[in-house]
Amino acid sequence: MNEEPTATSPASISDAHVIAETPRPGFESVHAADAALPPRRAGVWLLRRSPLHWISLGMGSGLSPFAPGTVGTLWAWAAFLLLDPMLSDALGEAGWGWVLLVGFFVGWWACTRTAQAMRVGDPGAVVWDEVLAFWLILWLVTPSSLVAQLAAFLIFRLFDAAKPGPVGWADRRYKGQPGTLPGWRQGFGIIFDDLVAALCTLLVMALWHA
């Protein structure tokens, strides 16, 4: 999702303070009492806690103070261009299919845990949804020119940001109840609306080339 983080904790709270008040195990335990605590701001402290946060934050690209969803999508584009030749050589045409399948389930886990750690249902810093969705787009439109890939990037960002029609429905479908901690349902929802935005992007691209 491309929204900026909605944490209500004071800006003066440092990462060191957040780390100090947070249990140290690598994977967060979830307690009902945590729902009454204020949201946490995204920061480097997340990357220090668990490999899952590296995934959900797009290797740190989601920590961008400006438009993290766009920055995460740009990181996905660069990673695709780097990985595509290696995956094609190693696994053939099915390579990206396996990456996306595994990435969906691992990403669901990672997005859920990061949302729980931040106590926010859909943190703006979580960009694995953009990464996974844009990899799907690039996989299905490749081979294509950089101009076509740029058009796909712009169309996808428009759908993801504006959330028209089915994208808005998908975004609202799995929202949690106020005052409750995010769960697996909300973790799925983080990814789901971006996949719908990806399908809408692919439909526009197909009509463009028709």
Side-chain angles (χ1 to χ4, degrees):
M1 320 295 169
N2 66 314
E3 305 88 31
E4 295 296 332
T6 57
T8 58
S9 54
S12 60
I13 296 179
S14 66
D15 286 345
H17 178 80
V18 173
I19 293 171
E21 73 170 9
T22 305
R24 296 297 294 176
F27 302 106
E28 292 73 16
S29 58
V30 181
H31 302 286
D34 289 344
L37 297 174
R40 297 182 175 116
R41 291 184 299 107
V44 176
W45 66 273
L46 280 167
L47 300 179
R48 294 171 181 162
R49 294 199 59 186
S50 167
L52 291 176
H53 300 322
W54 280 91
I55 296 170
S56 64
L57 299 177
M59 301 298 120
S61 60
L63 297 180
S64 169
F66 304 105
T70 298
V71 175
T73 308
L74 286 171
W75 181 87
W77 192 359
F80 182 91
L81 295 177
L82 178 65
L83 294 174
D84 187 51
M86 293 184 285
L87 277 175
S88 297
D89 290 342
L91 300 174
E93 295 182 0
W96 276 108
W98 286 110
V99 168
L100 292 169
L101 181 63
V102 173
F104 171 79
F105 288 103
V106 174
W108 183 0
W109 179 22
C111 292
T112 301
R113 290 308 188 200
T114 301
Q116 290 171 345
M118 294 179 64
R119 306 188 193 112
V120 178
D122 188 1
V126 169
V127 296
W128 184 252
D129 46 341
E130 280 90 0
V131 171
L132 196 69
F134 198 55
W135 279 353
L136 173 63
I137 292 168
L138 291 175
W139 178 45
L140 294 178
V141 302
T142 300
S144 60
S145 67
L146 285 177
V147 172
Q149 292 178 31
L150 176 60
F153 171 84
L154 295 174
I155 295 169
F156 172 67
R157 291 307 306 140
L158 177 62
F159 275 114
D160 189 30
K163 302 190 185 305
V167 185
W169 168 83
D171 181 59
R172 297 186 298 270
R173 182 71 177 80
Y174 295 98
K175 294 294 185 186
Q177 296 297 320
T180 61
L181 279 178
W184 291 104
R185 177 183 174 87
Q186 286 71 49
F188 175 81
I190 290 173
I191 296 177
F192 180 58
D193 72 299
D194 284 81
L195 293 179
V196 174
L199 293 176
C200 292
T201 301
L202 290 168
L203 177 60
V204 171
M205 295 291 290
L207 292 174
W208 177 27
H209 290 290

